[in-house]
Amino acid sequence: MAETPGTVYLVGAGPGDPELISLRGVWCLKRADVVLYDGLVNPLILRHTAAHCERTCREQGPDGLRLDQAEINRRLIDEARRGKCVVRLKGGDPFIFGRGSEEAVALRGAEIPFEIVPGITAAVAAAEYAGISLTHRDHASAVAFITGHEDPTKPERSLDYRALAAFPGTLVFYMGLHRLPGIVAALLREGVPGDRPACVISRGTWTLQRTVSAPLATLPVAVAAAELHAPSLIIVGECVALRDEIAWFERRPLFGRRIAIPRAESQFHETASLAIEYGAHPIPMPIIEIAPVDDRSALEDVLSRLSEFDWLIFTSANGVTHFFEAMFASGRDVRAVGRLKFACIGPATADALRQRHLIADLVPESFRAEELAASLASYVSGQRVLWARASRGRDVLPDALTAAGADLEQVVVYENRDREAISDENLRALRDGVDWIALSSPSIARGVAALLPADLKAQLGTRIGVAAISPVTAEAAREAGIPVTVVAEEFTWRGLFEAIARG
């Protein structure tokens, strides 16, 4: 045990959209040693932490699924007593049907310091993502948050449906999907009109969000027909009628489409955030690994001779990252590249350079090796050119630059390593229903062809669309036996998602 216990942060993660966590919540995750997170927390939020992360799962008991709250309390206390910084990451807000107060009481009893970090609760976020204003000057001056799943061990029910029926505003029931018929029957019995607007929002703020609206009396039938999934919210009130006018989230161009992203794990989160911006549901499909070179002797030699070169070429953001990480690790700073001119294959690579306070001197209009070589040809005759590259790639650039009279030297700054298989977890996600696979390079296309199981490969081009980031990638995919549905006009991830939206 540590002499001084660590602090436990009870953090609200929001209801699903990974961008809805607070800045304070991100700060806590960055300094955490241990994270215990709820099953309702979007795992994409965990990109903000390097801590050991454990998911707290519900287990089947005599009264259905239940969470072993006492065990979670013990884990929080034990880890804090070891001096660890602990984050308890909870869906929505910790104190709105989140049992955070029970955890706080347990921590106070054990004399463990703690802090509450509020989160956006599901009712507010899910309603607004569905285009529903829970309060409105013309329709509702109050809103009530109600549990639709009371503690089954309580000797009697505490909800007064007569009072709820008379409530002058919007009713929001949490965790009530499986009790929907009973909740509706109780409200109707106490006098709520059967034609009052109502809805159920499933997986609110996730890109798989679905909303079913109907008059209160027919809502259970409509929801059953739609086969909605938990977690869900039930909303009853005149405000629901405004949804048709102000719904926005479900109108994003790729809303609800499941897109597999076969990139390295280290690259997935950035691309996933862009997919979510378009409304898509990103599915990780790591088939390669990006790693520093094992033997850095060639790279160290080049770094000691940077003053000999006139141009430094980057053909990926990974090349920028690994080159400068190696340069800084060697004790050098940006002065080592002071006289060099920079050429980047596209805007994403140039942005990676800009993050190091350096501006690319040349970026071709079309983001491919052929265009980069053509753009450089008139500048590099008789020039010393260094290409910081991956361990594998096409020979277009060196052949063209050498033909243009450049004195070209290549140095491998990172390795692309193929994975031996797609993980069982990723395969389950793909088989649950993937709509598109996005191919971002020829090597990715070949990797997908090699690793995708036969049952999924047979669906490519029919049930599962295939999008290629460029004609070169599309050609490699077809040569590997993968039919291509659409090809991006702009050879970037944004262009790739635009192509899927058009397709």
Side-chain angles (χ1 to χ4, degrees), residues 439-459:
L439 306 177
S440 58
S441 72
S443 60
I444 290 291
R446 290 187 285 268
V448 169
L451 297 182
L452 200 66
D455 63 312
L456 289 171
K457 195 178 295 185
Q459 301 176 53

Side-chain angles (χ1 to χ4, degrees), residues 396-439:
V396 171
L397 196 59
D399 291 347
L401 293 180
T402 301
D407 182 3
L408 177 67
E409 186 169 340
Q410 305 176 45
V411 62
V412 174
V413 296
Y414 70 96
E415 295 185 1
N416 283 324
R417 298 172 183 169
D418 293 323
R419 289 200 168 197
E420 296 182 358
I422 300 173
S423 71
D424 291 342
E425 180 181 0
N426 292 143
L427 281 177
R428 281 194 298 272
L430 293 171
R431 289 192 170 109
D432 280 346
V434 61
D435 301 304
W436 288 85
I437 294 180
L439 306 177

Side-chain angles (χ1 to χ4, degrees), residues 345-347 362-368 371-372 375 489-491:
I345 197 168
L362 187 149
V363 181
E365 292 185 5
S366 182
F367 318 135
R368 53 190 297 187
E371 295 295 329
L372 178 59
S375 299
E489 295 178 3
E490 177 185 297
F491 308 150

Side-chain angles (χ1 to χ4, degrees), residues 15-18 42 44 129 202-210 249-250 252 254-259 272-283 435:
D17 184 335
N42 191 328
L44 290 177
Y129 270 49
S202 170
R203 297 171 174 169
T205 79
W206 292 70
T207 47
L208 297 177
Q209 174 178 302
R210 293 180 65 196
F249 182 55
E250 296 164 18
R252 288 184 170 180
L254 293 177
F255 181 76
R257 299 195 199 180
R258 301 172 186 249
I259 301 178
S273 294
L274 182 59
I276 292 170
E277 180 182 322
Y278 277 84
H281 181 72
I283 299 174
D435 301 304

